[in-house]
Amino acid sequence: MTMHNFPTYPHDQLHEIKLNGISPESINYAFERKHIKQKHFKSYLVNDNDVFFASTQVKKPVFKFKVGQEVDINSPYDFNTRAICCGQLEYIHKGFRMRGFLFQYI
């Protein structure tokens, strides 16, 4: 699985999505947990609910989350209001080093 396999919310909608009150620089639409193949991430999943990645730049992060940390979600595009951080990974997108945090709805 790579970050590029899953569509993200359009840039003009990001300001309306908040994780603990902060808008991510990128966030993908939720997908089924069965698409998570890395054992590293699978071991931290807490239930059968959908998952999503929220990302920020490595150099100028707008947020940072720890594995096991619960977050409040405020979004007009999603009815779920809580998620738990299940891991993170770094990747390059359009020349920027990004850090993606994997969340699962709780």
Side-chain angles (χ1 to χ4, degrees):
M1 178 193 77
T2 67
M3 296 292 291
H4 306 290
N5 295 347
F6 300 94
T8 60
Y9 283 92
H11 187 269
D12 62 339
Q13 292 179 344
L14 292 176
H15 71 281
E16 297 182 67
I17 302 169
K18 305 271 194 266
L19 302 176
N20 281 355
I22 302 169
S23 294
E25 293 178 81
S26 176
I27 187 168
N28 69 305
Y29 294 104
F31 56 94
E32 294 178 312
R33 71 173 271 154
K34 70 180 182 182
H35 295 291
I36 301 294
K37 304 298 182 194
Q38 294 90 346
K39 289 180 185 180
H40 168 81
F41 289 140
K42 282 180 135 179
S43 67
Y44 288 109
L45 296 177
V46 296
N47 57 40
D48 290 330
N49 295 344
D50 289 348
V51 297
F52 64 92
F53 275 94
S55 300
T56 186
Q57 291 185 51
V58 171
K59 279 190 174 184
K60 300 176 189 174
V62 296
F63 56 66
K64 185 175 181 178
F65 299 102
K66 295 179 182 178
V67 172
Q69 180 179 353
E70 293 184 13
V71 298
D72 293 315
I73 304 167
N74 186 355
S75 171
Y77 313 110
D78 194 343
F79 295 112
N80 294 288
T81 59
R82 296 282 290 166
I84 188 167
C85 181
C86 297
Q88 63 179 306
L89 62 85
E90 288 190 17
Y91 63 98
I92 296 177
H93 178 68
K94 296 183 180 180
F96 291 96
R97 286 185 50 221
M98 303 292 287
R99 180 170 290 127
F101 294 89
L102 175 65
F103 292 94
Q104 185 173 41
Y105 295 121
I106 52 175

